Protein backbone atom coordinates (compact mmCIF):
# COMPACT_ATOMS: atom_id res chain seq x y z
CA UNK A 1 0.00 0.00 0.00
CA UNK A 2 1.34 3.44 -1.01
CA UNK A 3 1.40 6.67 0.98
CA UNK A 4 -2.01 7.70 -0.29
CA UNK A 5 -3.47 4.45 0.85
CA UNK A 6 -4.44 3.37 -2.68
CA UNK A 7 -4.22 -0.38 -3.25
CA UNK A 8 -2.99 -0.99 -6.87
CA UNK A 9 -2.39 -4.69 -6.46
CA UNK A 10 -5.92 -5.96 -7.11
CA UNK A 11 -6.84 -3.39 -9.81
CA UNK A 12 -3.67 -2.71 -11.75
CA UNK A 13 -2.84 -6.28 -12.70
CA UNK A 14 -6.19 -7.10 -14.42
CA UNK A 15 -6.01 -3.92 -16.56
CA UNK A 16 -2.54 -4.79 -17.74
CA UNK A 17 -3.62 -8.27 -18.91
CA UNK A 18 -6.64 -6.91 -20.87
CA UNK A 19 -4.50 -4.36 -22.76
CA UNK A 20 -1.96 -6.98 -23.64
CA UNK A 21 -4.72 -9.27 -25.12
CA UNK A 22 -6.14 -6.39 -27.13
CA UNK A 23 -2.71 -5.48 -28.50
CA UNK A 24 -2.09 -9.15 -29.52
CA UNK A 25 -5.43 -9.27 -31.40
CA UNK A 26 -4.52 -6.11 -33.29
CA UNK A 27 -1.17 -7.60 -34.30
CA UNK A 28 -2.79 -10.83 -35.55
CA UNK A 29 -5.38 -8.87 -37.53
CA UNK A 30 -2.64 -6.84 -39.14
CA UNK A 31 -0.78 -9.99 -40.11
CA UNK A 32 -3.89 -11.48 -41.71
CA UNK A 33 -4.58 -8.30 -43.67
CA UNK A 34 -1.00 -8.20 -44.86
CA UNK A 35 -1.28 -11.79 -46.04
CA UNK A 36 -4.30 -11.00 -48.31
CA UNK A 37 -3.53 -9.94 -51.93
CA UNK A 38 -3.93 -6.32 -52.82
CA UNK A 39 -6.82 -7.18 -55.18
CA UNK A 40 -8.72 -9.36 -52.71
CA UNK A 41 -11.82 -7.29 -53.25
CA UNK A 42 -11.91 -8.56 -56.87
CA UNK A 43 -11.30 -12.35 -56.57
CA UNK A 44 -10.47 -14.38 -59.70
CA UNK A 45 -13.65 -15.54 -61.50
CA UNK A 46 -14.55 -19.15 -62.14
CA UNK A 47 -13.27 -19.91 -65.63
CA UNK A 48 -14.91 -23.27 -66.35
CA UNK A 49 -17.76 -23.18 -68.82
CA UNK A 50 -18.56 -22.09 -72.37
CA UNK A 51 -17.11 -18.76 -73.56
CA UNK A 52 -17.92 -16.62 -76.55
CA UNK A 53 -14.89 -14.89 -78.10
CA UNK A 54 -15.12 -11.83 -80.37
CA UNK A 55 -11.89 -10.79 -82.12
CA UNK A 56 -12.02 -7.37 -83.80
CA UNK A 57 -9.23 -6.07 -86.04
CA UNK A 58 -8.78 -3.93 -89.18
CA UNK A 59 -8.80 -7.19 -91.16
CA UNK A 60 -12.33 -8.02 -89.98
CA UNK A 61 -14.21 -9.54 -87.07
CA UNK A 62 -14.29 -13.20 -86.04
CA UNK A 63 -16.53 -14.91 -83.50
CA UNK A 64 -15.64 -18.16 -81.81
CA UNK A 65 -16.53 -20.51 -79.00
CA UNK A 66 -14.24 -21.85 -76.28
CA UNK A 67 -14.87 -24.60 -73.73
CA UNK A 68 -12.87 -24.52 -70.50
CA UNK A 69 -13.20 -27.64 -68.36
CA UNK A 70 -10.27 -27.08 -65.92
CA UNK A 71 -10.25 -24.22 -63.41
CA UNK A 72 -7.31 -21.78 -63.27
CA UNK A 73 -4.39 -23.05 -61.18
CA UNK A 74 -3.21 -21.30 -57.94
CA UNK A 75 -1.13 -18.91 -60.07
CA UNK A 76 -4.26 -17.88 -61.95
CA UNK A 77 -3.19 -19.56 -65.20
CA UNK A 78 -5.89 -21.02 -67.46
CA UNK A 79 -5.79 -22.53 -70.94
CA UNK A 80 -7.89 -24.47 -73.42
CA UNK A 81 -7.34 -25.71 -76.99
CA UNK A 82 -11.05 -26.40 -77.42
CA UNK A 83 -11.66 -23.23 -79.45
CA UNK A 84 -13.37 -22.89 -82.83
CA UNK A 85 -13.66 -19.62 -84.78
CA UNK A 86 -16.29 -19.19 -87.51
CA UNK A 87 -17.26 -22.84 -87.00
CA UNK A 88 -14.17 -24.16 -88.82
CA UNK A 89 -10.96 -22.46 -87.63
CA UNK A 90 -9.38 -24.06 -84.56
CA UNK A 91 -7.37 -22.18 -82.00
CA UNK A 92 -6.43 -21.68 -78.32
CA UNK A 93 -7.48 -19.37 -75.48
CA UNK A 94 -5.18 -18.89 -72.46
CA UNK A 95 -4.05 -16.31 -69.95
CA UNK A 96 -3.20 -15.43 -66.34
CA UNK A 97 -5.78 -13.99 -63.92
CA UNK A 98 -4.81 -11.29 -61.46
CA UNK A 99 -7.84 -9.94 -59.68
CA UNK A 100 -9.62 -7.53 -61.99
CA UNK A 101 -6.82 -7.68 -64.54
CA UNK A 102 -5.46 -10.45 -66.70
CA UNK A 103 -3.18 -11.21 -69.60
CA UNK A 104 -4.69 -13.09 -72.55
CA UNK A 105 -3.38 -14.98 -75.59
CA UNK A 106 -5.64 -16.15 -78.44
CA UNK A 107 -4.28 -18.13 -81.41
CA UNK A 108 -5.89 -19.32 -84.64
CA UNK A 109 -4.59 -21.94 -87.05
CA UNK A 110 -4.17 -21.32 -90.76
CA UNK A 111 -7.30 -22.15 -92.75
CA UNK A 112 -7.51 -21.81 -96.54
CA UNK A 113 -6.24 -18.39 -97.59
CA UNK A 114 -6.28 -17.12 -93.98
CA UNK A 115 -2.85 -17.35 -92.25
CA UNK A 116 -2.39 -18.34 -88.65
CA UNK A 117 -2.85 -15.54 -86.14
CA UNK A 118 -1.92 -14.66 -82.56
CA UNK A 119 -3.49 -12.01 -80.29
CA UNK A 120 -1.70 -10.97 -77.08
CA UNK A 121 -2.57 -8.46 -74.39
CA UNK A 122 -1.43 -7.81 -70.83
CA UNK A 123 -4.04 -5.12 -70.12
CA UNK A 124 -7.33 -7.04 -70.20
CA UNK A 125 -10.05 -6.12 -67.69
CA UNK A 126 -12.41 -8.54 -65.94
CA UNK A 127 -15.93 -7.38 -65.20
CA UNK A 128 -19.33 -8.94 -64.51
CA UNK A 129 -22.24 -8.39 -66.91
CA UNK A 130 -25.89 -8.01 -66.00
CA UNK A 131 -26.39 -11.77 -66.03
CA UNK A 132 -23.68 -12.32 -63.45
CA UNK A 133 -21.29 -13.81 -65.99
CA UNK A 134 -17.61 -12.73 -66.14
CA UNK A 135 -16.48 -10.68 -69.16
CA UNK A 136 -12.82 -10.26 -70.18
CA UNK A 137 -12.17 -7.42 -72.61
CA UNK A 138 -9.26 -5.29 -73.74
CA UNK A 139 -6.95 -4.21 -76.52
CA UNK A 140 -3.76 -5.82 -77.71
CA UNK A 141 -1.77 -6.80 -80.80
CA UNK A 142 -2.86 -9.31 -83.47
CA UNK A 143 -0.07 -10.75 -85.59
CA UNK A 144 -1.33 -12.47 -88.77
CA UNK A 145 1.01 -13.65 -91.53
CA UNK A 146 3.91 -11.81 -89.88
CA UNK A 147 2.06 -8.45 -89.86
CA UNK A 148 1.14 -6.91 -86.44
CA UNK A 149 -2.00 -4.82 -86.10
CA UNK A 150 -4.13 -3.43 -83.25
CA UNK A 151 -7.06 -5.58 -82.15
CA UNK A 152 -9.50 -6.12 -79.30
CA UNK A 153 -10.85 -9.28 -77.77
CA UNK A 154 -14.05 -9.69 -75.76
CA UNK A 155 -14.52 -13.02 -73.98
CA UNK A 156 -17.89 -13.62 -72.28
CA UNK A 157 -18.81 -16.76 -70.41
CA UNK A 158 -22.27 -17.67 -71.76
CA UNK A 159 -22.74 -20.94 -69.83
CA UNK A 160 -21.37 -22.14 -66.51
CA UNK A 161 -19.69 -25.49 -66.28
CA UNK A 162 -22.77 -26.93 -64.59
CA UNK A 163 -24.95 -25.68 -67.47
CA UNK A 164 -22.55 -27.20 -70.00
CA UNK A 165 -22.65 -30.53 -68.17
CA UNK A 166 -26.43 -30.35 -67.98
CA UNK A 167 -26.67 -29.63 -71.71
CA UNK A 168 -24.24 -32.44 -72.57
CA UNK A 169 -26.20 -34.86 -70.38
CA UNK A 170 -29.42 -33.79 -72.09
CA UNK A 171 -27.86 -34.17 -75.55
CA UNK A 172 -26.48 -37.59 -74.59
CA UNK A 173 -29.92 -38.68 -73.39
CA UNK A 174 -31.49 -37.40 -76.61
CA UNK A 175 -28.88 -39.28 -78.67
CA UNK A 176 -29.50 -42.46 -76.70
CA UNK A 177 -33.26 -42.10 -77.10
CA UNK A 178 -32.88 -41.46 -80.83
CA UNK A 179 -30.60 -44.48 -81.16
CA UNK A 180 -33.15 -46.56 -79.26
CA UNK A 181 -35.90 -45.31 -81.59
CA UNK A 182 -33.81 -46.34 -84.60
CA UNK A 183 -32.57 -49.61 -83.08
CA UNK A 184 -36.12 -50.91 -82.66
CA UNK A 185 -36.15 -51.43 -86.44
CA UNK A 186 -35.37 -54.94 -87.64
CA UNK A 187 -36.71 -58.49 -87.51
CA UNK A 188 -38.00 -59.70 -84.13
CA UNK A 189 -38.63 -63.17 -82.77
CA UNK A 190 -41.70 -63.33 -80.48
CA UNK A 191 -42.45 -66.07 -77.92
CA UNK A 192 -45.78 -65.85 -76.08
CA UNK A 193 -46.11 -68.25 -73.15
CA UNK A 194 -49.47 -69.00 -71.50
CA UNK A 195 -51.51 -72.21 -71.43
CA UNK A 196 -49.52 -73.08 -74.52
CA UNK A 197 -46.56 -71.47 -76.23
CA UNK A 198 -46.79 -69.62 -79.55
CA UNK A 199 -43.92 -68.36 -81.67
CA UNK A 200 -43.97 -65.60 -84.23
CA UNK A 201 -41.89 -63.08 -86.13
CA UNK A 202 -42.39 -59.35 -86.64
CA UNK A 203 -40.76 -56.86 -88.99
CA UNK A 204 -40.34 -53.22 -87.87
CA UNK A 205 -39.22 -50.94 -90.70
CA UNK A 206 -39.83 -47.47 -89.19
CA UNK A 207 -38.12 -45.81 -86.22
CA UNK A 208 -40.18 -45.07 -83.12
CA UNK A 209 -41.77 -41.61 -83.25
CA UNK A 210 -41.05 -38.64 -80.96
CA UNK A 211 -43.29 -40.23 -78.31
CA UNK A 212 -41.16 -43.41 -78.50
CA UNK A 213 -44.08 -45.35 -80.01
CA UNK A 214 -43.28 -48.19 -82.42
CA UNK A 215 -45.33 -50.60 -84.53
CA UNK A 216 -44.54 -53.53 -86.83
CA UNK A 217 -45.20 -53.37 -90.55
CA UNK A 218 -45.96 -57.10 -90.60
CA UNK A 219 -46.09 -60.01 -88.15
CA UNK A 220 -47.04 -63.69 -88.26
CA UNK A 221 -47.54 -66.28 -85.51
CA UNK A 222 -46.80 -69.91 -86.33
CA UNK A 223 -45.96 -68.70 -89.83
CA UNK A 224 -49.63 -68.22 -90.85
CA UNK A 225 -51.60 -66.17 -88.31
CA UNK A 226 -51.66 -62.43 -89.18
CA UNK A 227 -50.58 -60.40 -86.13
CA UNK A 228 -49.19 -57.08 -84.94
CA UNK A 229 -46.45 -56.03 -82.49
CA UNK A 230 -46.44 -52.48 -81.08
CA UNK A 231 -45.65 -50.51 -77.93
CA UNK A 232 -43.78 -47.63 -76.33
CA UNK A 233 -40.06 -47.64 -75.55
CA UNK A 234 -38.91 -46.65 -72.06
CA UNK A 235 -37.82 -43.06 -71.40
CA UNK A 236 -34.71 -42.84 -69.25
CA UNK A 237 -33.04 -45.48 -67.15
CA UNK A 238 -35.10 -47.60 -64.81
CA UNK A 239 -38.36 -47.22 -66.74
CA UNK A 240 -40.24 -50.03 -68.50
CA UNK A 241 -41.65 -50.46 -71.97
CA UNK A 242 -45.28 -51.07 -72.80
CA UNK A 243 -46.12 -53.71 -75.40
CA UNK A 244 -49.20 -54.95 -77.22
CA UNK A 245 -49.34 -58.08 -79.39
CA UNK A 246 -52.52 -58.96 -81.30
CA UNK A 247 -53.38 -62.11 -83.28
CA UNK A 248 -56.28 -62.43 -85.68
CA UNK A 249 -58.72 -65.32 -85.63
CA UNK A 250 -57.44 -68.14 -87.81
CA UNK A 251 -59.28 -71.43 -88.27
CA UNK A 252 -60.34 -72.78 -84.86
CA UNK A 253 -57.97 -70.35 -83.05
CA UNK A 254 -59.74 -67.20 -81.75
CA UNK A 255 -58.36 -63.66 -81.89
CA UNK A 256 -56.16 -62.66 -78.94
CA UNK A 257 -54.42 -59.65 -77.40
CA UNK A 258 -51.44 -59.55 -75.05
CA UNK A 259 -50.70 -56.33 -73.14
CA UNK A 260 -48.00 -55.41 -70.63
CA UNK A 261 -46.67 -52.17 -69.17
CA UNK A 262 -43.79 -53.76 -67.24
CA UNK A 263 -41.57 -54.99 -70.08
CA UNK A 264 -37.86 -54.83 -69.34
CA UNK A 265 -35.64 -53.74 -72.21
CA UNK A 266 -32.11 -55.13 -72.34
CA UNK A 267 -29.48 -53.94 -74.80
CA UNK A 268 -25.96 -55.31 -75.12
CA UNK A 269 -23.87 -54.61 -78.18
CA UNK A 270 -25.91 -55.50 -81.24
CA UNK A 271 -28.53 -57.48 -79.27
CA UNK A 272 -31.84 -56.00 -78.12
CA UNK A 273 -34.66 -57.77 -76.27
CA UNK A 274 -37.83 -57.17 -74.26
CA UNK A 275 -39.18 -59.49 -71.58
CA UNK A 276 -42.06 -59.25 -69.17
CA UNK A 277 -45.36 -60.56 -67.91
CA UNK A 278 -48.80 -59.29 -68.84
CA UNK A 279 -52.35 -60.32 -69.65
CA UNK A 280 -53.54 -62.41 -72.60
CA UNK A 281 -57.14 -61.59 -73.44
CA UNK A 282 -59.18 -64.16 -75.38
CA UNK A 283 -62.93 -64.14 -76.06
CA UNK A 284 -64.59 -64.52 -72.65
CA UNK A 285 -61.41 -64.94 -70.60
CA UNK A 286 -58.12 -63.35 -69.50
CA UNK A 287 -54.97 -65.28 -68.69
CA UNK A 288 -51.53 -64.39 -67.30
CA UNK A 289 -48.86 -64.64 -69.96
CA UNK A 290 -45.20 -63.89 -70.61
CA UNK A 291 -43.73 -62.34 -73.74
CA UNK A 292 -40.12 -62.52 -74.87
CA UNK A 293 -39.27 -60.39 -77.91
CA UNK A 294 -35.73 -60.57 -79.32
CA UNK A 295 -34.40 -58.63 -82.28
CA UNK A 296 -32.69 -61.30 -84.40
CA UNK A 297 -31.75 -59.06 -87.33
CA UNK A 298 -30.87 -55.38 -87.42
CA UNK A 299 -32.59 -53.22 -90.01
CA UNK A 300 -29.33 -53.09 -91.99
CA UNK A 301 -29.25 -56.90 -92.03
CA UNK A 302 -32.91 -56.99 -93.12
CA UNK A 303 -32.15 -54.63 -96.01
CA UNK A 304 -29.09 -56.69 -96.93
CA UNK A 305 -31.18 -59.89 -96.95
CA UNK A 306 -33.91 -58.23 -99.02
CA UNK A 307 -31.32 -56.99 -101.50
CA UNK A 308 -29.81 -60.49 -101.71
CA UNK A 309 -33.24 -62.07 -102.26
CA UNK A 310 -34.06 -59.46 -104.90
CA UNK A 311 -30.79 -60.21 -106.73
CA UNK A 312 -31.45 -63.97 -106.53
CA UNK A 313 -34.99 -63.48 -107.82
CA UNK A 314 -33.72 -61.28 -110.64
CA UNK A 315 -31.10 -63.92 -111.52
CA UNK A 316 -33.74 -66.69 -111.60
CA UNK A 317 -36.06 -64.56 -113.74
CA UNK A 318 -33.17 -63.75 -116.08
CA UNK A 319 -32.25 -67.44 -116.39
CA UNK A 320 -35.88 -68.38 -117.06
CA UNK A 321 -36.19 -65.59 -119.62
CA UNK A 322 -32.95 -66.60 -121.35
CA UNK A 323 -34.02 -70.26 -121.40
CA UNK A 324 -37.38 -69.29 -122.91
CA UNK A 325 -35.70 -67.08 -125.51
CA UNK A 326 -33.29 -69.91 -126.34
CA UNK A 327 -36.15 -72.37 -126.89
CA UNK A 328 -38.01 -69.83 -129.02
CA UNK A 329 -34.85 -69.10 -131.01
CA UNK A 330 -34.13 -72.81 -131.55
CA UNK A 331 -37.74 -73.43 -132.59
CA UNK A 332 -37.62 -70.48 -134.97
CA UNK A 333 -34.31 -71.61 -136.44
CA UNK A 334 -35.65 -75.14 -136.84
CA UNK A 335 -38.78 -73.87 -138.58
CA UNK A 336 -36.72 -71.61 -140.82
CA UNK A 337 -34.30 -74.46 -141.58
CA UNK A 338 -37.11 -76.84 -142.43
CA UNK A 339 -38.71 -74.21 -144.65
CA UNK A 340 -35.37 -73.56 -146.36
CA UNK A 341 -34.73 -77.28 -146.88
CA UNK A 342 -38.25 -77.72 -148.22
CA UNK A 343 -37.78 -74.84 -150.66
CA UNK A 344 -34.42 -76.23 -151.82
CA UNK A 345 -35.85 -79.72 -152.19
CA UNK A 346 -38.85 -78.50 -154.15
CA UNK A 347 -36.60 -76.40 -156.38
CA UNK A 348 -34.32 -79.39 -156.99
CA UNK A 349 -37.22 -81.73 -157.67
CA UNK A 350 -38.76 -79.18 -160.04
CA UNK A 351 -35.46 -78.90 -161.92
CA UNK A 352 -35.22 -82.70 -162.11
CA UNK A 353 -38.78 -82.98 -163.39
CA UNK A 354 -38.15 -80.33 -166.03
CA UNK A 355 -34.91 -82.04 -167.08
CA UNK A 356 -36.70 -85.41 -167.27
CA UNK A 357 -39.44 -83.96 -169.45
CA UNK A 358 -36.84 -82.46 -171.80
CA UNK A 359 -34.86 -85.74 -172.21
CA UNK A 360 -37.69 -88.26 -172.46
CA UNK A 361 -37.57 -89.93 -175.91
CA UNK A 362 -34.10 -88.64 -176.78
CA UNK A 363 -31.60 -90.94 -178.49
CA UNK A 364 -27.97 -91.48 -177.53
CA UNK A 365 -25.26 -89.71 -179.51
CA UNK A 366 -24.31 -91.20 -182.92
CA UNK A 367 -21.16 -93.33 -182.96
CA UNK A 368 -19.31 -93.30 -186.31
CA UNK A 369 -15.91 -94.81 -187.14
CA UNK A 370 -15.35 -95.90 -183.51
CA UNK A 371 -15.49 -92.34 -182.09
CA UNK A 372 -18.23 -90.42 -180.42
CA UNK A 373 -18.86 -86.79 -181.10
CA UNK A 374 -18.86 -85.00 -177.72
CA UNK A 375 -21.78 -82.57 -177.42
CA UNK A 376 -21.11 -79.11 -176.29
CA UNK A 377 -21.86 -78.12 -173.60
CA UNK A 378 -21.25 -81.36 -171.57
CA UNK A 379 -24.22 -83.71 -171.22
CA UNK A 380 -25.13 -86.26 -168.62
CA UNK A 381 -24.50 -89.98 -168.97
CA UNK A 382 -26.85 -91.99 -171.17
CA UNK A 383 -29.15 -94.90 -170.34
CA UNK A 384 -30.05 -97.14 -173.30
CA UNK A 385 -32.43 -99.71 -171.76
CA UNK A 386 -35.91 -98.70 -170.58
CA UNK A 387 -37.22 -101.93 -168.96
CA UNK A 388 -35.64 -103.94 -166.16
CA UNK A 389 -36.39 -106.98 -164.05
CA UNK A 390 -35.80 -106.15 -160.41
CA UNK A 391 -35.85 -108.21 -157.26
CA UNK A 392 -34.15 -106.63 -154.30
CA UNK A 393 -31.93 -104.69 -156.73
CA UNK A 394 -31.42 -103.86 -160.40
CA UNK A 395 -28.46 -102.90 -162.56
CA UNK A 396 -28.34 -99.94 -164.95
CA UNK A 397 -25.74 -99.69 -167.74
CA UNK A 398 -24.66 -96.07 -168.09
CA UNK A 399 -22.58 -94.57 -170.89
CA UNK A 400 -20.39 -91.46 -170.58
CA UNK A 401 -20.52 -89.57 -173.92
CA UNK A 402 -18.04 -86.96 -172.71
CA UNK A 403 -14.32 -86.81 -173.42
CA UNK A 404 -13.65 -86.47 -169.70
CA UNK A 405 -14.39 -88.58 -166.63
CA UNK A 406 -17.59 -87.91 -164.72
CA UNK A 407 -18.97 -88.77 -161.32
CA UNK A 408 -22.52 -88.67 -160.15
CA UNK A 409 -25.46 -90.46 -158.64
CA UNK A 410 -28.69 -91.95 -159.89
CA UNK A 411 -31.99 -91.82 -157.99
CA UNK A 412 -35.04 -94.01 -158.71
CA UNK A 413 -38.42 -92.62 -157.77
CA UNK A 414 -41.99 -93.74 -158.45
CA UNK A 415 -43.37 -92.09 -161.58
CA UNK A 416 -46.54 -89.96 -161.44
CA UNK A 417 -49.63 -92.04 -161.14
CA UNK A 418 -52.45 -92.86 -158.75
CA UNK A 419 -50.15 -94.24 -156.12
CA UNK A 420 -47.67 -91.39 -156.50
CA UNK A 421 -50.37 -88.72 -156.69
CA UNK A 422 -51.65 -89.76 -153.25
CA UNK A 423 -48.27 -88.91 -151.66
CA UNK A 424 -46.93 -85.49 -150.73
CA UNK A 425 -43.56 -86.26 -152.36
CA UNK A 426 -42.26 -88.88 -154.83
CA UNK A 427 -41.57 -92.31 -153.36
CA UNK A 428 -37.82 -93.03 -153.39
CA UNK A 429 -37.09 -96.51 -154.73
CA UNK A 430 -33.29 -96.39 -154.31
CA UNK A 431 -30.11 -94.53 -155.10
CA UNK A 432 -26.49 -95.26 -156.04
CA UNK A 433 -23.27 -93.40 -156.93
CA UNK A 434 -21.01 -94.00 -159.92
CA UNK A 435 -17.78 -92.92 -161.64
CA UNK A 436 -17.23 -93.42 -165.44
CA UNK A 437 -14.05 -92.82 -167.48
CA UNK A 438 -14.11 -90.71 -170.69
CA UNK A 439 -16.35 -92.38 -173.34
CA UNK A 440 -16.69 -95.32 -170.96
CA UNK A 441 -19.56 -97.38 -169.59
CA UNK A 442 -20.39 -98.61 -166.10
CA UNK A 443 -22.88 -101.07 -164.62
CA UNK A 444 -24.46 -99.35 -161.62
CA UNK A 445 -26.27 -101.56 -159.10
CA UNK A 446 -29.14 -99.97 -157.20
CA UNK A 447 -30.63 -101.68 -154.13
CA UNK A 448 -34.38 -101.14 -153.96
CA UNK A 449 -35.69 -99.49 -150.83
CA UNK A 450 -38.03 -101.35 -148.49
CA UNK A 451 -41.00 -99.34 -149.73
CA UNK A 452 -39.89 -99.93 -153.34
CA UNK A 453 -39.66 -103.72 -152.84
CA UNK A 454 -43.05 -103.75 -151.15
CA UNK A 455 -44.64 -101.67 -153.93
CA UNK A 456 -43.10 -103.87 -156.68
CA UNK A 457 -44.22 -107.06 -154.92
CA UNK A 458 -47.77 -105.71 -154.67
CA UNK A 459 -48.11 -104.29 -158.18
CA UNK A 460 -45.60 -106.52 -160.05
CA UNK A 461 -44.87 -103.65 -162.46
CA UNK A 462 -43.72 -100.15 -161.57
CA UNK A 463 -43.23 -97.09 -163.75
CA UNK A 464 -40.26 -95.14 -162.40
CA UNK A 465 -38.08 -92.13 -163.11
CA UNK A 466 -34.30 -92.54 -163.17
CA UNK A 467 -32.82 -89.12 -162.31
CA UNK A 468 -29.09 -88.91 -163.14
CA UNK A 469 -26.87 -86.04 -161.99
CA UNK A 470 -23.20 -85.81 -163.04
CA UNK A 471 -20.25 -83.62 -162.19
CA UNK A 472 -16.76 -83.31 -163.69
CA UNK A 473 -13.66 -81.42 -162.70
CA UNK A 474 -13.59 -78.01 -164.33
CA UNK A 475 -16.94 -78.62 -166.06
CA UNK A 476 -20.50 -77.48 -165.29
CA UNK A 477 -22.79 -80.08 -163.74
CA UNK A 478 -25.42 -81.83 -165.83
CA UNK A 479 -28.55 -83.85 -165.10
CA UNK A 480 -31.14 -85.85 -166.96
CA UNK A 481 -34.09 -88.16 -166.27
CA UNK A 482 -35.44 -91.30 -167.94
CA UNK A 483 -38.77 -93.08 -167.72
CA UNK A 484 -38.19 -96.76 -167.04
CA UNK A 485 -40.30 -99.79 -166.20
CA UNK A 486 -39.54 -102.27 -163.45
CA UNK A 487 -40.88 -105.83 -163.53
CA UNK A 488 -40.96 -108.23 -160.63
CA UNK A 489 -39.24 -111.57 -161.15
CA UNK A 490 -41.38 -114.32 -162.68
CA UNK A 491 -41.87 -116.05 -159.32
CA UNK A 492 -43.66 -112.96 -158.05
CA UNK A 493 -46.06 -112.96 -160.99
CA UNK A 494 -47.35 -116.37 -160.02
CA UNK A 495 -46.88 -116.26 -156.29
Amino acid sequence: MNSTGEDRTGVGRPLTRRWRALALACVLAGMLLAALPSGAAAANPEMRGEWQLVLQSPGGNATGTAFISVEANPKGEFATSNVVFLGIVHGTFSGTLNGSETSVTVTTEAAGPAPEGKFTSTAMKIETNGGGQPVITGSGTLTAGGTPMPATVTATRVKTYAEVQEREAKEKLEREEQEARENVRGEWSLTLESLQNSKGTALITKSANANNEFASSSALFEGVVPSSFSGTLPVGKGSNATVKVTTQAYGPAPAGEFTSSTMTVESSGASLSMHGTGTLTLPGTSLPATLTATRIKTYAQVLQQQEKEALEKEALEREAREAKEKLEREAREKTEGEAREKAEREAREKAEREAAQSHIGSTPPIVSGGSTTTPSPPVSVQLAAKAFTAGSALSLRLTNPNAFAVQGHVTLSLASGKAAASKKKPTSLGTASFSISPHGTALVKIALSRSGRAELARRHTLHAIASIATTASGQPSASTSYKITLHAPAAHHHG
Side-chain angles (χ1 to χ4, degrees):
M1 184 175 297
N2 58 21
S3 58
T4 61
E6 183 179 358
D7 187 0
R8 299 179 180 271
T9 303
V11 178
R13 291 179 180 174
L15 285 175
T16 302
R17 286 195 297 269
R18 285 196 297 271
W19 278 109
R20 287 179 179 175
L22 180 60
L24 180 59
C26 291
V27 172
L28 291 175
M31 293 175 62
L32 288 173
L33 291 173
L36 291 175
S38 60
N44 292 338
E46 181 182 355
M47 295 298 293
R48 292 188 306 170
E50 179 181 338
W51 291 74
Q52 182 187 63
L53 305 181
V54 179
L55 176 62
Q56 297 176 302
S57 70
N61 301 339
T63 302
T65 302
F67 292 93
I68 301 178
S69 58
V70 179
E71 194 55 83
N73 62 21
K75 295 181 180 180
E77 298 169 339
F78 67 91
T80 179
S81 60
N82 195 354
V83 180
V84 178
F85 275 92
L86 303 175
I88 55 173
V89 182
H90 293 273
T92 65
F93 175 43
S94 60
T96 303
L97 304 175
N98 185 18
S100 61
E101 297 180 353
T102 183
S103 61
V104 165
T105 300
V106 176
T107 67
T108 58
E109 298 177 356
E116 63 181 6
K118 182 176 182 179
F119 170 86
T120 57
S121 174
T122 58
M124 303 289 285
K125 300 295 182 180
I126 302 178
E127 299 176 347
T128 302
N129 62 15
Q133 298 285 13
V135 179
I136 302 175
T137 183
S139 301
T141 301
L142 172 63
T143 303
T147 302
M149 64 187 76
T152 62
V153 164
T154 301
T156 306
R157 192 180 67 185
V158 293
K159 285 186 176 63
T160 65
Y161 190 60
E163 291 173 335
V164 172
Q165 288 182 312
E166 181 181 354
R167 183 188 63 188
E168 291 177 348
K170 181 180 178 181
E171 291 175 350
K172 180 181 178 182
L173 179 60
E174 290 176 350
R175 286 195 304 270
E176 291 175 349
E177 290 181 353
Q178 182 59 35
E179 290 175 357
R181 296 189 190 107
E182 295 175 355
N183 287 341
V184 76
R185 297 182 302 171
E187 182 177 340
W188 290 74
S189 170
L190 309 178
T191 302
L192 186 60
E193 302 176 37
S194 185
L195 294 179
Q196 61 182 14
N197 297 344
S198 299
K199 292 186 177 295
T201 56
L203 180 62
I204 301 177
T205 58
K206 293 184 178 180
S207 302
N209 61 21
N211 296 325
N212 290 328
E213 298 168 338
F214 67 90
S216 63
S217 59
S218 63
L220 289 176
F221 264 87
E222 305 302 337
V224 294
V225 182
S227 312
S228 67
F229 173 47
S230 59
T232 303
L233 297 174
V235 179
K237 296 182 179 179
S239 58
N240 295 322
T242 62
V243 164
K244 179 169 72 173
V245 175
T246 64
T247 58
Q248 298 180 15
Y250 189 86
E257 180 180 281
F258 169 85
T259 57
S260 174
S261 59
T262 59
M263 298 290 290
T264 301
V265 178
E266 295 182 356
S267 177
S268 176
S271 64
L272 181 62
S273 64
M274 302 181 189
H275 179 80
T277 58
T279 302
L280 175 62
T281 303
L282 301 172
T285 185
S286 295
L287 302 170
T290 301
L291 175 69
T292 300
T294 304
R295 192 192 63 190
I296 55 178
K297 284 190 179 81
T298 65
Y299 189 54
Q301 291 171 330
V302 170
L303 293 178
Q304 184 178 5
Q305 179 182 354
Q306 291 176 347
E307 182 180 1
K308 179 181 178 182
E309 292 174 351
L311 292 175
E312 292 175 349
K313 180 181 179 181
E314 182 181 351
L316 291 176
E317 291 176 349
R318 183 173 60 253
E319 291 176 0
R321 183 174 62 253
E322 291 175 350
K324 180 181 178 182
E325 292 173 351
K326 180 180 179 182
L327 291 176
E328 292 175 348
R329 184 173 60 255
E330 291 176 348
R332 184 172 60 254
E333 292 174 351
K334 181 180 179 182
T335 301
E336 293 173 352
E338 291 175 348
R340 184 169 55 253
E341 291 176 358
K342 180 180 178 182
E344 292 174 352
R345 183 175 65 252
E346 290 176 347
R348 184 173 61 252
E349 291 172 351
K350 180 180 178 181
E352 291 175 351
R353 285 195 302 271
E354 292 174 350
Q357 292 294 331
S358 64
H359 287 83
I360 291 175
S362 63
T363 57
I366 299 174
V367 179
S368 176
S371 63
T372 302
T373 302
T374 303
S376 180
V379 298
S380 180
V381 297
Q382 305 296 322
L383 174 64
K386 298 298 193 309
F388 302 90
T389 298
S392 60
L394 74 157
S395 297
L396 303 180
R397 183 174 294 278
L398 302 179
T399 301
N400 178 15
N402 300 289
F404 46 81
V406 297
Q407 301 84 34
H409 63 273
V410 56
T411 302
L412 294 181
S413 58
L414 196 62
S416 299
K418 293 182 180 180
S422 63
K423 300 179 179 298
K424 294 183 178 179
K425 61 181 180 179
T427 301
S428 176
L429 302 178
T431 183
S433 300
F434 60 85
S435 178
I436 308 176
S437 60
H439 303 300
T441 60
L443 191 64
V444 181
K445 184 177 182 179
I446 303 176
L448 291 179
S449 64
R450 179 181 300 177
S451 60
R453 294 195 302 273
E455 191 73 16
L456 182 61
R458 183 177 67 82
R459 297 171 58 183
H460 308 299
T461 298
L462 294 178
H463 296 289
I465 299 295
S467 300
I468 305 172
T470 58
T471 59
S473 176
Q475 300 292 333
S477 60
S479 62
T480 187
S481 298
Y482 297 93
K483 285 185 177 181
I484 63 175
T485 302
L486 303 181
H487 300 286
H492 292 283
H493 289 284
H494 299 88

